[in-house]
């Protein structure tokens, strides 16, 4: 009976919220409209050209477990996947999410990979900053890189398949935008930081 009373109170709260937002519960709203490449999204803009602000960059990278430094070339490209216009529960346009492909290549030859990600674009067609850009790459690409022991890279564990989470901050750079600090972290089991990118202010 006590549980039913709690459920009833939650339902009543949801109905009150729904009267103003169009949702039964606030966390229920995850609406979005798919926008094909080259088409104008709701709001009258194409959010994809915002990616042009991300020029190729060369960043300092340190392999944590072997304490060696190198440089990372990071490039960003558009894809043929649709963008998403993010909507509030009442249908009001909030922002855009644009798919992108990032290529990571270090001068020491230990990393060469391409990964899919997405970035947030505001209603003026500009990249949000700051924001975090994240992607996953297979852990197997580091098997012969010499940056971590093969035992740690075991592709299948009790927690699932191992992969490396790549994350970078996207920050303001003058009048534009650039990649900032980042990391490469082995996940899917024991969490191991493989590399860090620390950009001088």
């Amino acid at each position: 009976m006590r549980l039913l009373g709690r459920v009833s109170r939650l339902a009543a709260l949801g109905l009150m919220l729904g009267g103003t937002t169009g949702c039964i519960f606030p966390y229920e709203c995850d609406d979005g409209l798919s926008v094909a490449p080259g088409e104008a999204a709701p709001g009258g803009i194409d959010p994809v050209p915002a990616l042009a602000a991300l020029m190729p960059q060369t960043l300092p990278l340190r392999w944590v477990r072997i304490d060696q430094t190198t440089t990372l070339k990071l490039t960003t490209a558009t894809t043929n996947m649709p963008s998403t216009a993010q909507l509030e529960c009442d249908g009001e346009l909030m922002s855009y999410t644009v798919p992108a492909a990032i290529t990571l290549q270090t001068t020491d030859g230990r990393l060469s990979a391409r990964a899919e990600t997405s970035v947030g674009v505001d209603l003026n067609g500009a990249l949000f900053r700051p924001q975090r850009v994240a992607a996953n790459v297979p852990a197997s690409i580091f098997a012969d890189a010499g940056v971590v022991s093969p035992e740690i890279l075991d592709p299948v564990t009790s927690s699932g398949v191992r992969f490396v989470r790549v994350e970078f901050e996207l920050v303001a750079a003058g009048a534009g935008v650039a990649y900032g600090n980042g990391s490469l972290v082995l996940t899917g089991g024991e969490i191991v930081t493989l590399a860090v990118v620390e950009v001088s202010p």
Side-chain angles (χ1 to χ4, degrees), residues 23 49 69 159 198:
C23 301
T69 59
S159 301
E198 296 174 330

Side-chain angles (χ1 to χ4, degrees), residues 65-66 142-143 146-154 186 194:
R65 296 181 71 86
I66 60 175
F142 294 97
V147 297
V148 65
S149 65
E151 292 78 13
I152 295 178
L153 285 175
D154 186 4
L186 181 66
L194 300 184

Side-chain angles (χ1 to χ4, degrees), residues 7 9-29 89:
V7 171
R9 286 194 294 273
L10 285 172
L13 175 61
L15 289 173
M16 287 188 292
L17 290 170
T20 58
T21 68
C23 301
I24 296 179
F25 294 104
Y27 54 78
E28 206 175 44
C29 302
C89 294

Side-chain angles (χ1 to χ4, degrees), residues 122-142:
D122 67 22
L123 298 183
N124 295 316
L127 295 170
F128 281 114
R129 49 193 187 274
Q131 66 172 298
R132 294 193 70 82
V133 176
N136 296 328
V137 297
S140 57
I141 68 174
F142 294 97

Side-chain angles (χ1 to χ4, degrees), residues 59-62 64 72 74 104 132-134 165-171 179-185 193-199:
L59 303 168
L61 180 144
R62 179 172 64 89
V64 172
L72 170 70
L74 180 58
L104 308 103
R132 294 193 70 82
V133 176
R165 183 74 167 176
V166 179
E167 289 194 2
F168 288 94
E169 295 177 357
L170 206 57
V171 297
Y179 288 107
N181 294 342
S183 62
L184 282 72
V185 178
T193 300
L194 300 184
V196 293
V197 171
E198 296 174 330
V199 181

Side-chain angles (χ1 to χ4, degrees), residues 1-60:
M1 296 297 292
R2 183 177 300 174
L3 177 60
L4 290 174
R6 290 177 180 173
V7 171
S8 297
R9 286 194 294 273
L10 285 172
L13 175 61
L15 289 173
M16 287 188 292
L17 290 170
T20 58
T21 68
C23 301
I24 296 179
F25 294 104
Y27 54 78
E28 206 175 44
C29 302
D30 190 22
D31 294 330
L33 296 177
S34 181
V35 181
E39 291 186 359
I45 69 168
D46 179 359
V48 175
L51 293 179
L54 289 171
M55 304 296 290
Q57 282 182 254
T58 300
L59 303 168

Side-chain angles (χ1 to χ4, degrees), residues 115-126:
E116 303 296 321
T117 186
S118 61
V119 295
V121 176
D122 67 22
L123 298 183
N124 295 316

